[in-house]
């Protein structure tokens, strides 16, 4: 029996866009680190800390999750996936368009190949419904695939595929000047403050006191995110959406208890640098070359200047059509 080989190409790796900034805490900020104790008079909710330095830091996962949630709402994505407890969220069930079944309802999702949220932040494949012909073309069908008529078309139940994220958000650590200032804070806690709160029973007036640890106002962190450019045309749309989410985040809150005044932040001194990988991926060459790079001539002072600078930022990316 004679068989033929088939090419299964990787996604293109055109380059990476680095975005750096100073993240300024404008109201006390709390991102929990677990480790709550039952000590009388102790903290109910400590912040997360670096285990080596004991300095409070901001996890990249918290910032990335907040940006994703903002973009889902900006783009009015449907709630097609159960989250923790009684929450719902949006996520592509596969790389191609399909339908998620949740609580007896059938909710459409956009495939991660084209979805503005999932291709940036990633998605985890789940059992979902894909049009039968598309599922066959994508080699998702098996002999036991369940079929169903949805909106007058035949769909097959398949196991969806994962989509890796294009966006990396780094953990944010205190800049040294800010760390030295916080070391001088005299609150009884290292580099942080206590926030005493009291919940009152509306009927009996019984008090329920709690102590929350917060990063104080004025703390400054080094913020960095890296976007992988796989498709130059999509990169422009993705960059615009990421920056839109950044703008909204400044009007929202990062971390817990935002409705009670916590977690107001601001981005300052934004730097953009694009590293082009095309020069280091040439086949047949024995030489090793560093990736070329382009960057803005000067940092952007704050996010109010992003709309005016957006055309200049886009010019750092490869020409449209490359993929």
């Amino acid at each position: 029996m004679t068989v033929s080989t088939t090419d299964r190409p990787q996604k293109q790796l055109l380059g990476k866009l680095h975005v750096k900034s100073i993240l300024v805490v404008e109201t006390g900020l709390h991102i929990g680190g677990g480790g709550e104790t039952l000590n009388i008079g102790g903290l109910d909710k400590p912040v997360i800390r670096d285990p080596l330095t004991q300095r409070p830091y901001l996890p990249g996962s918290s910032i990335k999750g907040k940006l994703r949630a903002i973009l889902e709402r900006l783009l009015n994505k449907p709630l097609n996936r159960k989250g923790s407890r009684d929450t719902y969220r949006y996520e592509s069930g596969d790389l191609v368009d399909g339908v998620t079944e949740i609580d007896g309802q059938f909710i459409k999702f956009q495939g991660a190949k084209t979805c503005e949220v999932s291709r940036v932040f990633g998605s985890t494949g789940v059992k979902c419904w894909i049009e039968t012909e598309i599922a066959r073309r994508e080699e998702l069908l098996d002999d036991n695939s369940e079929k169903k008529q949805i909106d007058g078309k035949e769909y097959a139940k398949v196991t969806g595929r994962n989509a890796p994220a294009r966006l990396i958000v780094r953990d944010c650590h205190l800049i040294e000047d800010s760390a030295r200032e916080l070391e001088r804070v005299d609150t009884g806690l290292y580099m942080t403050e206590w926030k005493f709160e009291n919940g009152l029973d509306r009927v009996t007036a019984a008090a329920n006191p709690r102590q929350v640890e917060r990063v104080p106002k004025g703390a400054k962190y080094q913020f960095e995110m890296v976007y992988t450019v796989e498709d130059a045309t999509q990169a422009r749309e993705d960059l615009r959406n990421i920056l839109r989410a950044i703008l909204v985040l400044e009007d929202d809150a990062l971390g817990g208890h935002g409705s009670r005044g916590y977690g107001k932040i601001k981005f300052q001194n934004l730097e953009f640098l694009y590293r082009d990988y095309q020069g280091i991926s040439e086949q047949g060459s024995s030489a090793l070359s560093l990736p070329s790079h382009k960057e803005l001539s000067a940092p952007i002072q704050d996010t109010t200047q992003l709309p005016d600078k957006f055309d200049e930022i886009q010019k750092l990316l490869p020409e449209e059509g490359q993929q």
Side-chain angles (χ1 to χ4, degrees), residues 122-155:
S123 63
T124 303
V126 295
K127 290 287 186 181
C128 58
W129 297 91
I130 308 292
E131 284 189 44
T132 301
E133 287 304 313
I134 296 175
R136 181 175 290 109
R137 187 170 67 241
E138 295 288 322
E139 300 180 354
L140 297 174
L141 288 180
D142 59 41
D143 294 338
N144 300 317
S145 295
E146 182 182 351
K147 308 290 196 316
K148 185 185 291 288
Q149 290 289 320
I150 303 175
D151 291 339
K153 296 181 180 179
E154 185 181 78
Y155 281 70

Side-chain angles (χ1 to χ4, degrees), residues 103-128:
D103 296 335
Q105 297 179 313
F106 294 85
I107 303 171
K108 291 182 178 180
F109 64 80
Q110 187 176 1
K113 286 181 180 178
T114 57
C115 175
E116 307 95 322
V117 173
S118 295
R119 73 185 184 214
V120 172
F121 294 96
S123 63
T124 303
V126 295
K127 290 287 186 181
C128 58

Side-chain angles (χ1 to χ4, degrees), residues 61-198:
S61 58
S62 298
I63 302 171
K64 185 179 178 183
K66 186 67 180 185
L67 293 174
R68 179 178 188 139
I70 288 171
L71 188 58
E72 287 175 11
R73 295 190 67 184
L74 282 174
L75 299 176
N76 197 29
K77 292 295 185 179
L79 300 175
N80 73 325
R81 188 80 66 91
K82 275 191 174 182
S84 59
R85 300 177 187 174
D86 297 322
T87 61
Y88 295 84
R89 57 189 172 84
Y90 169 80
E91 192 168 344
S92 299
D94 185 63
L95 301 181
V96 297
D97 297 355
V99 174
T100 304
E101 185 176 358
I102 181 171
D103 296 335
Q105 297 179 313
F106 294 85
I107 303 171
K108 291 182 178 180
F109 64 80
Q110 187 176 1
K113 286 181 180 178
T114 57
C115 175
E116 307 95 322
V117 173
S118 295
R119 73 185 184 214
V120 172
F121 294 96
S123 63
T124 303
V126 295
K127 290 287 186 181
C128 58
W129 297 91
I130 308 292
E131 284 189 44
T132 301
E133 287 304 313
I134 296 175
R136 181 175 290 109
R137 187 170 67 241
E138 295 288 322
E139 300 180 354
L140 297 174
L141 288 180
D142 59 41
D143 294 338
N144 300 317
S145 295
E146 182 182 351
K147 308 290 196 316
K148 185 185 291 288
Q149 290 289 320
I150 303 175
D151 291 339
K153 296 181 180 179
E154 185 181 78
Y155 281 70
K157 194 170 189 178
V158 302
T159 300
R161 297 161 291 182
N162 299 339
R166 293 179 180 176
L167 184 67
I168 299 169
V169 182
R170 310 281 193 203
D171 289 347
C172 296
H173 294 277
L174 287 162
I175 64 174
E176 286 303 315
D177 287 347
S178 185
R180 284 192 288 270
E181 288 181 3
L182 291 178
E183 284 178 336
R184 296 195 294 268
V185 170
D186 184 15
T187 63
L189 297 171
Y190 182 58
M191 290 185 154
T192 57
E193 65 182 9
W194 301 74
K195 175 66 164 58
F196 290 87
E197 299 182 349
N198 211 353

Side-chain angles (χ1 to χ4, degrees), residues 291-308:
S292 61
H293 70 272
K294 296 183 288 184
E295 60 186 310
L296 294 186
S297 57
I300 298 174
Q301 184 175 356
D302 55 45
T303 56
T304 62
Q305 299 178 1
L306 284 175
D308 292 335

